Amino acid sequence: MITILVVLSAGILFGLLIVGKPKWHLFNNHLLNWAIYLLLFLLGISVGTNREVIQNIGKIGYEAIAISIISIAGSVLLSAILFKFLFKQDEK
Amino acid sequence: MRSSLIIFGFFVAGVLAGLSGKLPTGYDFDKFGNYALFLLMFLAGVSIGSDKNSWKVLSTYNYKIIWVPVTIIVGTLAGSALVTLVIPTLTLRESLAVGAGFGYYSLSSAFITQLHSHSLGVVALLSNIFREVATLLATPILVKYFGNLAGIASGGATAMDTTLPVISKYSGKSYAIIAVFSGIVLTILVPFLVTLILTFKG
């Protein structure tokens, strides 16, 4: 975990050096996209060669949908309370 | 939306490549994935650090706005915790880690795959893609019944980019600024929260 946070922090510090340099931002965004593609492709390979995942895809899909729906519900309900007490008064 | 299709396409291509059984043997793809994760972490850091908005939004708006991402984090994690009551096979830690993606499926699934397991990585990928899609579809209804913050809450980290247009349309332009702020805060927190949840000894 420490390694990951150090790498992330190093990235943020390096990012501070290129604030206001659009060409670098564009380049970094390209690299970031391809790093994501690469990781998802590798994740796909792991999944495709992993019998356990393939055999349990129904259960995995079910868990995924349950987590997203209940998480959305939790955050939306709390945001409704926040809206009522702090934000609604600002509206005309 | 287009970029999510591309990302999902790469994932499907990987699955098909894996299923074909024609991949060269002898490579440790997991180890490879680990290095790719470090690269991704670094690049994600650079994009956070170099974005003026990441820092500006923190100082420009009044204190009220900070409650928006806080509320979304608490609501999301409370919801994820409740899921373990419905699905007892999921541990609290697993469910929280998936929820803490806040819709940022690419980064969170990559992290969870490396830090936990492939199957939970796939849960995270599908769950967080679904969060984005559900937000795109349901924001008009959510805003109508739960107020102008509902789309921002549902969108989570995606409220700063992919779901911003629909939020801006149904909650109004002034809420677009709040959406970007909240989305940026959640996006920055995803790698930290997921790592903390999965590695915290307790």
Side-chain angles (χ1 to χ4, degrees), chain B residues 95-116:
Chain B
S95 189
L96 289 178
V98 173
F102 302 112
Y104 195 174
Y105 49 84
S106 51
L107 201 63
S108 70
S109 62
F111 263 60
I112 291 173
T113 302
Q114 296 302 323
L115 295 174
H116 191 278

Side-chain angles (χ1 to χ4, degrees), chain A residues 1 47 64 68 71 86 90-91, chain B residues 64 80 127 130 148 175 195 199:
Chain A
M1 177 182 102
V47 168
S68 41
S71 299
L86 269 184
D90 294 345
E91 309 221 337
Chain B
K64 272 203 297 199
S80 307
S127 177
F130 190 76
N148 284 335
Y175 282 87
T195 311
T199 55

Side-chain angles (χ1 to χ4, degrees), chain A residues 7-8 10 18-19 21 29 32-33 38 47 51 66 78 81:
Chain A
V7 171
L8 182 66
I18 60 164
V19 170
K21 293 180 181 164
N29 275 336
L32 187 61
N33 279 338
L38 175 67
V47 168
R51 278 192 160 191
L78 272 193
I81 297 171

Side-chain angles (χ1 to χ4, degrees), chain B residues 37-70:
Chain B
L37 178 67
F38 285 142
L39 176 68
L40 181 62
M41 286 301 298
F42 182 78
L43 296 172
V46 175
S47 80
I48 293 168
S50 63
D51 189 348
K52 268 189 223 147
N53 288 328
S54 314
W55 310 104
K56 204 172 70 186
V57 279
L58 288 173
S59 53
T60 314
Y61 301 106
N62 70 45
Y63 79 98
K64 272 203 297 199
I65 197 172
I66 197 81
W67 286 107
V68 176
V70 170

Side-chain angles (χ1 to χ4, degrees), chain A residues 13-31:
Chain A
L13 289 178
F14 184 77
L16 287 174
L17 296 176
I18 60 164
V19 170
K21 293 180 181 164
K23 272 189 180 167
W24 280 83
H25 293 191
L26 216 61
F27 183 60
N28 185 63
N29 275 336
H30 270 295
L31 285 181

Side-chain angles (χ1 to χ4, degrees), chain B residues 1-193:
Chain B
M1 204 64 199
R2 203 184 115 238
S3 64
S4 19
L5 285 178
I6 297 175
I7 287 171
F8 199 66
F10 272 91
F11 171 70
V12 171
V15 174
L16 294 178
L19 282 174
S20 74
K22 285 184 181 149
L23 288 170
T25 48
Y27 291 98
D28 187 348
F29 285 108
D30 287 343
K31 206 171 177 183
F32 200 31
N34 219 347
Y35 294 131
L37 178 67
F38 285 142
L39 176 68
L40 181 62
M41 286 301 298
F42 182 78
L43 296 172
V46 175
S47 80
I48 293 168
S50 63
D51 189 348
K52 268 189 223 147
N53 288 328
S54 314
W55 310 104
K56 204 172 70 186
V57 279
L58 288 173
S59 53
T60 314
Y61 301 106
N62 70 45
Y63 79 98
K64 272 203 297 199
I65 197 172
I66 197 81
W67 286 107
V68 176
V70 170
T71 303
I72 297 170
I73 292 169
V74 174
T76 297
L77 296 183
S80 307
L82 283 178
V83 174
T84 57
L85 298 178
V86 191
I87 307 175
T89 50
L90 271 176
T91 66
L92 181 61
R93 179 178 296 198
E94 290 170 343
S95 189
L96 289 178
V98 173
F102 302 112
Y104 195 174
Y105 49 84
S106 51
L107 201 63
S108 70
S109 62
F111 263 60
I112 291 173
T113 302
Q114 296 302 323
L115 295 174
H116 191 278
S117 65
H118 293 134
S119 45
L120 197 66
V122 179
V123 174
L125 177 70
L126 297 178
S127 177
N128 285 295
I129 287 181
F130 190 76
R131 185 166 184 160
E132 179 183 299
V133 175
T135 302
L136 290 171
L137 297 176
T139 292
I141 303 163
L142 291 176
V143 167
K144 190 172 166 199
Y145 291 103
F146 298 99
N148 284 335
L149 291 172
I152 300 172
S154 176
T158 70
M160 66 183 274
D161 42 44
T162 45
T163 59
L164 182 60
V166 64
I167 291 168
S168 172
K169 183 169 173 194
Y170 289 95
S171 293
K173 283 262 160 52
S174 57
Y175 282 87
I177 296 165
I178 302 176
V180 171
F181 170 79
S182 172
I184 288 175
V185 171
L186 293 174
T187 300
I188 292 173
L189 286 178
V190 168
F192 290 101
L193 276 176

